[in-house]
Amino acid sequence: MAETVSWRPRTGEIPVSPGVYRFRDPRGRVLYVGKAKNLRARLSNYFQPLRALHDRTRRMVLTAASVEWTVVGTEFEALQLEYSWIKEFSPPFNVQFRDDKSYPYLAITLGEEVPRVLITRNRRLRGAKYFGPYTKVWAIRETLDLMLKVFPVRSCSETTYKRAEQTGRPCLLGDIGKCAAPCVGRIPKEAHRELAGDLASFMGGGDQRFRGDLTRRMQEASAALNFEEAARLRDAIGAMDAALSKTAVVLREDVDTDVFGIADDELAAAVQQFIVRAGRIRGTRSWVVDKELDLPLGELVETVLRNAYDEDVYPPREVLVPELPDDADELATWLSQRRAAGRENEGLRGSGRTRIHVAERGEKAQLAETAARNAAQALMLYKTRRSADFTARSQAIADLQEALGLDEAPLRIECFDVSHLSGTNVVASMVVFEDGLPRKDQYRRFNVASTTDDTDSIYQVLSRRVAHLDDEEPAPAEQGATRFAYRPNLLLVDGGQPQVAAAKRALDDAGVTGVALAGIAKRLEELWQPDGDFPVILPRNSDALFLVQRLRDEAHRFAITHQRTRRKRDIGSQLAAVPGLGEARVKQLLRHFGSVARLRAATAEDVADVPGFGPVLAAAVVERLHEGSRTRVRRTRTRRPWRRWARRCPAGPPDRLTLERRSTVRRNFPS
C-alpha cells in the first residue's frame, strides 16, 4: 500500500490560519467539507500513511482527487462557512440527517390579516409560528380543542372564512363559542389578532400569567354578580388546566431548554430532542444519522445542533448536550444569533444569548439521561426495522455472499459470542438467523468449565457445535445432549483474527468442510476470514453490515443474559439450604440489595431490615453466605495434613468427614 495519495499538497503550501476545506472527486463533486482552527494541522491528519488511517477516512481520501481550502479570519467565520457549504453541496461523507417520521406541528399564521390556528406537517407557511413537534396527532388535536375554549381563534380554511364573510353567517365553531367569528364582525380583526398573539404566548410558555388573569377576571365578574361571565371564565380556567395536564412538568416554570440525547455506534446514530418550555415538555423530535467517517461525540453534537436549528427553528436560552464540542463558544455565538433573529421576528426585545452546557446533576441531568435512553431505543428500533424489511434482508444476504465470496447464499447464519466476569463464570451463546430473521427457538447457551482465554473458549464451543453438525437424528433432550438443527451456511464469531483462527482449528480437528467462517472485529466493523491477510470491509450503511451488526449484538445480549441468570441461580441454590428460605424470599433479598455483591457484603442487621426477615433467619442467611465464601477461598489453599487435624481434635481422630463436618472442625480449630 502506498504511503499516501499522489495529489497530496505540499505542507508549506497549506496555511496555518483558520479556514474551511473541501475534498473533491475526479469529477469535481464535493465529497467532504470540514473546518479547522489550523488548516495545516488538520489536513496533515488526512495525509498520514494510508495504513494508519481509519478505514472510512482512507476510503474518502482514496476517492478524492484534490483538496481546496478557504482562509477566514476567525473560528466563528469558519463555522458559518462550513454550515453554508454543507447546505449547498450535501457532501456524501458528511453526517447525513433524516427524520424518521413527519411530525405534526401546531401553527398560528400570524402573517395573515386574520390569523388562524391549524395542525400541519408543512413547515413552510409564511409568517407562521410553530409549536411542537408532537409525536401524536390526536394529542395535539385534544390540546387545540381545549385551547379554543380559552382563546377562540379561528381555525377554519380560507374558503370557509370567505363564505361566512359573504353570507354573514358564522360556521358551527362560531355558534358553539370555539371561534370569536371575526368573519361576521363579532370581534374586530385587531382584537382577533391580539387573541392569536395571546394563544402564541401561552403556547410559548406564558402559562401562569394567563391563568392568573382569567382567575382575576372571574373573581371580578363574581363580585359584580355577573355569574354567567364568571361561569364562562371558570370553564376556560378548567380547559386551560386540562391542556396543561397533558404536558409533563419536568423543570421549574422559568426554564426554557432543549435537551438532546445521542446514541451512536460506528455507522449510525439516533438523536432525541426534548423541547421544554416553561418547565413542561412541549414536544419531542428524533433523527437518524448516517455516519460515513468516524466522528467523536463532540463533533457529532455540533452537527446535530446545526441541523436542529435550521431554517425557521430557533434555539431557547439553554441547550443541554451529552458532550461539549471543541468549538463550543463559537457554536454558542452562532446559536445566539439564531435566537436573536427569532426574537426579532416575534417582535421581542432583550438578550438572545444561548448557553450550551452538559447537565451533571439534578433534574436536568435526569432529563438528559431520559433523552439518552430514548435515543438508544430509537437506534435499536431503526436497526431492527432495517433488518426486518424483506427487500433489505434479501439485499443483505446477497451482499454478504458477494463480500465473503461464498458459493451459496448464507440463508442460515450462526453467530457465537463468549462472555465472562473477570475471567470467571465463562459462558457462550449461539444465535441463529434464517433468511435474515432471528430463530429464537434455536438459540443455544454453553457453559465453559475451564478456559485460558477467549480463543480457548471459542475452540471449545465450536468443537461442541460441530460435533453434531451432520447428525441426521438429533439426540433426544432427555439424554442431556444439546439439540441442533441443520448445517449452517455461515459461522460468525465475535472477534478478530485470533478468534477466527481458534474457530478454524475446531473445524479442522472435527474434519468439517463446506461451512464458511468469519469473525466480526468490533472496533472497525471488519469481517476477518481464515487465512486472510486483510479484512473484508462492508460498505457503510449497507444492509449486509446492519445484518452482521444485529447478529453480533444479539449474540452478545444472549450471552450476557445467560451469565446474569447463572449468577442469580448460584446464589439461589446456595441460600436454598437455609431452612425457611424459598425462591420468593431469595428474589426479595436480591431486589432489596440490588446485586449479589451487596448481599454478600451485608451484615445480619442489614438483612434483618428486609421485610419478613427476623434476626434468626438473617443470621442464618449471613452465616450461609460467609460459609460459602470461606469454602470457595479455602479450596484454593493447601489443605492441612490429616494427622495435624487428628492431633488437634480432643475427641480423637475423626472418621471420613462430609463437607459440612469439615467446615465445623475448621471453625472450632482455626490455624
Side-chain angles (χ1 to χ4, degrees):
M1 182 178 290
E3 285 296 315
T4 186
V5 291
S6 59
W7 50 267
R8 171 184 178 175
R10 295 180 179 177
T11 304
E13 297 176 352
I14 307 175
V16 295
S17 307
V20 182
Y21 55 91
R22 293 180 289 184
F23 283 93
R24 293 184 180 269
D25 65 5
R27 294 177 296 177
R29 182 182 62 158
V30 176
L31 297 176
Y32 182 73
V33 174
K35 68 178 186 310
K37 299 178 182 179
N38 186 323
L39 284 170
R40 181 181 299 176
R42 175 61 62 87
L43 288 177
S44 63
N45 294 330
Y46 293 98
F47 301 116
Q48 301 177 42
L50 293 178
R51 62 178 179 274
L53 293 177
H54 187 281
D55 173 68
R56 300 186 185 95
T57 305
R58 181 168 62 247
R59 185 163 62 244
M60 189 269 290
V61 172
L62 292 175
T63 306
S66 63
V67 62
E68 57 189 33
W69 54 83
T70 300
V71 177
V72 296
T74 63
E75 298 174 20
F76 178 69
E77 293 179 6
L79 175 69
Q80 290 181 310
L81 183 58
E82 180 196 29
Y83 173 77
S84 302
W85 278 357
I86 290 176
K87 301 303 292 183
E88 179 181 356
F89 299 112
S90 298
F93 281 87
N94 282 93
V95 171
Q96 302 293 321
F97 276 74
R98 60 175 180 273
D99 280 318
D100 61 350
K101 61 176 74 71
S102 178
Y103 293 92
Y105 289 83
L106 179 67
I108 303 176
T109 59
L110 298 176
E112 297 181 0
E113 181 183 3
V114 183
R116 61 178 177 136
V117 58
L118 71 156
I119 299 171
T120 180
R121 298 176 188 267
N122 181 11
R123 293 298 309 272
R124 300 184 180 278
L125 297 177
R126 181 174 298 179
K129 187 171 183 179
Y130 292 91
F131 301 95
Y134 297 88
T135 54
K136 303 294 182 182
V137 176
W138 57 264
I140 183 57
R141 290 191 188 279
E142 289 183 359
T143 302
L144 178 60
D145 185 66
L146 292 170
M147 295 315 303
L148 289 180
K149 297 179 181 179
V150 186
F151 305 99
V153 179
R154 83 173 183 98
S155 57
C156 58
S157 63
E158 288 296 328
T159 303
T160 303
Y161 181 83
K162 290 180 179 179
R163 184 187 305 116
E165 197 174 31
Q166 292 173 357
T167 61
R169 296 177 56 186
C171 62
L172 178 62
L173 293 176
D175 291 334
I176 63 177
K178 289 189 176 180
C179 178
C183 53
V184 295
R186 290 184 182 175
I187 183 176
K189 293 182 179 180
E190 293 76 12
H192 182 270
R193 174 173 290 278
E194 293 180 1
L195 194 64
D198 291 342
L199 175 59
S201 299
F202 174 81
M203 295 301 298
D207 306 342
Q208 297 302 317
R209 179 171 64 87
F210 288 100
R211 194 184 188 286
D213 182 61
L214 289 177
T215 302
R216 177 183 55 78
R217 289 166 55 191
M218 180 187 68
Q219 293 173 350
E220 291 177 354
S222 177
L225 304 182
N226 188 355
F227 299 115
E228 292 184 359
E229 178 67 13
R232 187 187 68 81
L233 293 172
R234 178 203 59 198
D235 295 340
I237 294 174
M240 183 177 293
D241 291 339
L244 292 176
S245 66
K246 295 180 180 295
T247 57
V249 179
V250 292
L251 299 172
R252 300 189 313 273
E253 295 179 358
D254 59 341
V255 175
D256 292 343
T257 184
D258 282 353
V259 183
F260 289 88
I262 300 177
D264 68 319
D265 59 14
E266 295 83 356
L267 299 175
V271 182
Q272 186 78 22
Q273 179 185 4
F274 287 168
I275 303 171
V276 181
R277 299 295 181 268
R280 297 176 180 269
I281 297 180
R282 299 289 186 175
T284 61
R285 191 180 180 187
S286 62
W287 296 273
V288 176
V289 180
D290 290 333
K291 298 194 302 182
E292 179 64 42
L293 301 181
D294 187 30
L295 296 178
L297 182 57
E299 292 187 23
L300 187 58
V301 166
E302 177 184 330
T303 309
V304 165
L305 295 184
R306 287 206 307 255
N307 283 269
Y309 302 113
D310 192 10
E311 298 179 355
D312 54 351
V313 181
Y314 305 107
R317 290 177 295 182
E318 181 183 49
V319 176
L320 300 179
V321 295
E323 182 178 311
L324 288 177
D326 293 336
D327 53 352
D329 294 337
E330 289 76 18
L331 186 60
T333 302
W334 181 79
L335 292 178
S336 299
Q337 290 184 356
R338 296 283 301 152
R339 174 170 167 78
R343 292 176 62 83
E344 183 178 352
N345 293 340
E346 298 171 6
L348 301 176
R349 297 181 179 180
S351 174
R353 182 70 183 173
T354 295
R355 177 178 174 232
I356 307 173
H357 69 104
V358 178
E360 297 180 352
R361 57 184 179 274
E363 297 176 342
K364 294 181 180 179
Q366 295 177 2
L367 188 60
E369 183 180 354
T370 303
R373 287 199 302 267
N374 279 268
Q377 182 69 20
L379 181 61
M380 183 185 66
L381 183 61
Y382 168 67
K383 291 188 174 183
T384 303
R385 285 176 175 174
R386 287 202 56 171
S387 301
D389 181 74
F390 176 77
T391 304
R393 285 189 285 117
S394 302
Q395 187 64 42
I397 293 174
D399 292 345
L400 195 58
Q401 177 186 1
E402 180 181 359
L404 296 178
L406 306 181
D407 296 332
E408 56 184 6
L411 300 180
R412 178 183 172 90
I413 307 174
E414 296 178 1
C415 184
F416 296 82
D417 183 34
V418 174
S419 177
H420 60 85
L421 183 64
S422 300
T424 63
N425 200 16
V426 183
V427 299
S429 66
M430 182 189 87
V431 300
V432 181
F433 274 43
E434 288 186 358
D435 298 328
L437 291 176
R439 286 292 305 271
K440 295 192 176 183
D441 60 317
Q442 297 184 16
Y443 285 12
R444 296 293 178 265
R445 301 184 179 96
F446 302 89
N447 297 328
V448 183
S450 61
T451 181
T452 57
D453 53 18
D454 282 352
T455 58
D456 183 51
S457 302
I458 287 289
Y459 175 80
Q460 292 187 40
V461 173
L462 265 294
S463 298
R464 291 159 65 179
R465 169 64 182 106
V466 299
H468 303 276
L469 199 62
D470 298 317
D471 290 350
E472 295 182 0
E473 295 291 337
E478 59 269 14
Q479 295 183 10
T482 304
R483 284 178 171 269
F484 294 100
Y486 57 89
R487 170 187 288 250
N489 304 107
L490 175 63
L491 293 176
L492 291 177
V493 295
D494 186 17
Q497 286 179 301
Q499 286 76 16
V500 174
K504 181 65 166 56
R505 182 160 49 90
L507 296 181
D508 293 341
D509 292 348
V512 175
T513 58
V515 178
L517 175 65
I520 313 168
K522 294 181 180 179
R523 191 174 71 88
L524 298 178
E525 304 295 323
E526 303 166 335
L527 291 179
W528 286 92
Q529 293 179 287
D531 304 324
D533 295 330
F534 299 97
V536 176
I537 305 297
L538 296 173
R540 179 202 63 84
N541 203 27
S542 68
D543 294 311
L545 188 53
F546 271 84
L547 175 61
V548 170
Q549 277 188 325
R550 193 180 178 204
L551 272 159
R552 180 201 62 193
D553 295 343
E554 183 71 357
H556 183 67
R557 179 198 65 81
F558 197 54
I560 290 295
T561 302
H562 179 41
Q563 187 187 78
R564 291 173 179 170
T565 303
R566 280 195 65 192
R567 292 205 302 267
K568 290 182 180 179
R569 187 169 61 245
D570 290 345
I571 192 69
S573 60
Q574 187 178 353
L575 291 178
V578 179
L581 198 63
E583 182 180 353
R585 287 195 169 185
V586 172
K587 291 182 178 179
Q588 185 180 4
L589 280 173
L590 293 174
R591 187 165 52 248
H592 178 82
F593 289 99
S595 67
V596 175
R598 292 181 179 177
L599 176 57
R600 292 188 185 278
T603 62
E605 291 76 10
D606 297 333
V607 177
D609 292 337
V610 181
F613 285 79
V616 177
L617 182 57
V621 169
V622 172
E623 182 180 2
R624 182 63 182 172
L625 290 175
H626 290 178
E627 178 182 332
S629 301
R630 287 194 297 269
T631 302
R632 285 194 302 274
V633 171
R634 283 174 177 140
R635 281 177 184 171
T636 62
R637 299 177 182 173
T638 303
R639 296 182 178 178
R640 298 191 188 97
W642 187 262
R643 293 180 179 177
R644 290 184 58 194
W645 280 35
R647 288 197 303 266
R648 301 188 62 174
C649 183
D655 296 330
R656 182 66 61 182
L657 300 176
T658 60
L659 177 61
E660 294 181 356
R661 293 182 63 191
R662 265 187 208 179
S663 301
T664 303
V665 172
R666 292 179 182 180
R667 287 198 302 270
N668 293 335
F669 303 100
S671 56

